Amino acid sequence: MKLLVTGGAGFIGSNFIHYWLREHPEDSVVNLDKLTYAGNLENLTEVEKNPNYQFVRGDICDPEVVNPLVHEADIVVHFAAESHVDRSIMEPGVFVQTNAVGTQVLLNAALEYKTRFHHVSTDEVYGSLKLGSDTKFDENTRYDPHSPYSASKAASDHLVRAYHDTYGLPVTLSNCTNNYGPWHFPEKMIPLFITHLLEGEKVPVYGEGINVRDWLYVEDHCRAIDRIITDGKIGETYCIGGGAEKNNMEVTKLLLKLLGRDESFIEFVKDRPGHDLRYAMDYSKITKELGWKPSVTFEEGIQKTIDWFKEHREWAKRCTSGDYQKYYEQQYEQRQ
Ligand code: NAD
Ligand code: DAU
């Protein structure tokens, strides 16, 4: 099978490419990525020379780039997005452009060439749950996005379903909870806090740290997408979750303990505007229909992630300094 992976130089996309080429060595992967600040080709050095892997720098909003690549592919696995909620509050326009318009450009191409489309989305489209309740999101939860990020992802989900319902495009969708693990860009909470604590810096906890997220180790997300691509039913949505609800203070205290720092390393800062209180996912549909469930507990996953960040301190420092953006020029530009 030939996969066109969009956003493969980002956190989950790069983990997915490593996963796919390892688990399906007979398949080929083309990685289309614009290399925004979140795209880092250093994440993919181990597969760079694999003959079944190809990188193309380009924008999913540009049909001239997208069309021939979709034409060549058997399936589009669509990760590319602006993904950081805080940035969406500062600069919503680029979120609408990439997440909504970019998805529609890809859908048009998929329709033209009758290419299957898997859309990777988020639990944030469902809004926020009550603290202390045991309600969870599932495939039937009404959409209620609150940030420009989640609103633009909701728009993309609706477009994907519209292309299926209106034109019969073969699509599947997945909505997943918070991921963490290797190659996680140190602007999101877990990698930011680990890198700060490793370097002896304080960690900025928003508000009182009471917000709850449902954490999933990234490789388990990749495995869930594999199950959907392989055996998922066309037209269906699958919710993916970690079964690991933690509030931000619980996560912060665990990281402090595992990294040998005390609570003087916590700095409470101004809360995020419109900060969703709680996310939690009922993932029983994918368990029942496709036999998937998380395989890594939060405690195991966080230890693996800390170990990875300890071994990749220079990678994280290059992310923070911006030096990682020179990698493309050094490794790729001169070859073209
Ligand atoms: P990321 O920000 O780490 O990576 C996004 C990638 O997309 C980057 O490599 C970036 O260069 C690329 N990109 C951005 N705009 C582009 C454009 N116009 N054209 C081509 N490439 C472009 O994101 P992530 O955390 O890996 O998330 C990947 C996907 O998974 C997103 O769609 C996100 O909404 C979804 N998701 C993320 C999480 C999470 O916890 N991170 C959870 C659920 C769903
Ligand atoms: O739920 C899935 C979503 O998870 C994905 O769709 C998003 O792409 C991804 O970024 C993530 O969104 P969150 O906003 O939940 O993740 P973030 O790591 O930014 O924040 C996690 C929690 O930690 C949230 O309650 C805000 C808080 N936080 C975050 C940062 C960056 C802090 O307290 N301090 C921080 O510095």
Side-chain angles (χ1 to χ4, degrees):
M1 192 157 70
K2 291 183 190 160
L3 285 78
L4 175 62
V5 172
T6 69
F11 163 47
I12 307 176
S14 58
N15 275 282
F16 180 79
I17 290 174
H18 284 291
Y19 166 91
W20 198 273
L21 290 171
R22 190 178 66 238
E23 298 296 320
H24 303 273
E26 68 287 0
D27 287 353
S28 64
V29 172
V30 174
N31 172 14
L32 169 62
D33 198 297
K34 185 178 175 182
L35 298 184
T36 68
Y37 81 92
N40 185 349
L41 286 178
E42 278 192 47
N43 302 3
L44 293 155
T45 45
E46 283 162 37
V47 297
E48 227 170 54
K49 296 203 167 68
N50 184 328
N52 288 340
Y53 169 76
Q54 190 198 343
F55 172 69
V56 177
R57 187 176 194 175
D59 191 333
I60 57 164
C61 301
D62 181 353
E64 283 188 21
V65 175
V66 162
N67 290 355
L69 296 176
V70 173
H71 188 26
E72 290 286 302
D74 297 312
I75 182 167
V76 179
V77 188
H78 177 34
F79 293 92
E82 288 292 338
S83 71
H84 191 35
V85 174
D86 294 326
R87 287 180 189 257
S88 81
I89 295 166
M90 308 297 286
E91 205 187 339
V94 66
F95 283 71
V96 175
Q97 184 63 19
T98 288
N99 299 358
V101 177
T103 300
Q104 192 258 336
V105 169
L106 285 165
L107 288 166
N108 263 354
L111 189 60
E112 169 85 18
Y113 302 111
K114 300 182 174 47
T115 309
R116 186 173 163 195
F117 195 90
H118 179 72
H119 182 57
V120 179
S121 193
T122 170
D123 60 354
E124 298 201 13
V125 298
Y126 300 125
S128 181
L129 296 163
K130 275 208 184 107
L131 276 186
S133 77
D134 55 9
T135 46
K136 293 185 177 180
F137 302 132
D138 66 24
E139 290 80 4
N140 298 312
T141 304
R142 186 176 160 272
Y143 274 49
D144 184 23
H146 297 138
S147 71
Y149 163 67
S150 51
S152 63
K153 288 296 291 186
S156 69
D157 292 14
H158 292 317
L159 284 164
V160 174
R161 288 198 190 93
Y163 270 66
H164 172 261
D165 296 348
T166 309
Y167 310 113
L169 184 71
V171 308
T172 42
L173 298 90
S174 50
N175 292 79
C176 187
T177 58
N178 286 61
N179 286 212
Y180 65 100
W183 316 119
H184 204 177
F185 195 80
E187 65 174 354
K188 310 280 170 68
M189 186 181 83
I190 286 184
L192 182 78
F193 285 15
I194 293 174
T195 50
H196 274 219
L197 293 173
L198 282 172
E199 300 309 324
E201 293 160 20
K202 291 189 175 191
V203 296
V205 174
Y206 294 168
E208 296 170 51
I210 55 169
N211 307 67
V212 172
R213 298 292 183 264
D214 175 3
W215 294 99
L216 179 70
Y217 191 64
V218 62
E219 200 175 291
D220 274 334
H221 187 186
C222 298
R223 218 167 31 81
I225 296 170
D226 185 351
R227 292 299 303 122
I228 298 167
I229 289 174
T230 309
D231 285 320
K233 225 168 118 193
I234 295 301
E236 291 290 313
T237 295
Y238 297 89
C239 283
I240 305 167
E245 281 186 62
K246 309 274 171 214
N247 76 31
N248 294 340
M249 281 310 290
E250 287 176 278
V251 174
T252 304
K253 285 183 181 168
L254 180 62
L255 293 176
L256 289 171
K257 187 174 141 213
L258 294 173
L259 287 156
R261 304 287 186 191
D262 62 34
E263 291 190 21
S264 67
F265 279 83
I266 298 177
E267 187 178 9
F268 289 98
V269 300
K270 197 166 166 280
D271 208 353
R272 173 186 279 174
H275 197 170
D276 286 337
L277 271 178
R278 174 175 164 250
Y279 305 144
M281 193 64 99
D282 173 353
Y283 55 85
S284 52
K285 174 176 170 179
I286 188 170
T287 302
K288 209 164 128 217
E289 293 185 14
L290 302 177
W292 177 92
K293 59 178 193 288
S295 71
V296 179
T297 65
F298 186 69
E299 290 66 28
E300 286 164 358
I302 211 75
Q303 189 58 61
K304 276 153 90 97
T305 304
I306 289 176
D307 293 344
W308 188 91
F309 272 89
K310 281 185 176 165
E311 282 161 24
H312 292 79
R313 275 172 95 150
E314 295 308 313
W315 174 89
K317 281 184 192 161
R318 284 192 291 277
C319 287
T320 311
S321 69
D323 279 353
Y324 69 102
Q325 286 171 316
K326 294 180 189 147
Y327 190 85
Y328 175 77
E329 282 73 30
Q330 285 160 0
Q331 303 296 318
Y332 282 80
E333 217 161 47
Q334 68 243 73
R335 284 192 223 157
Q336 290 174 349

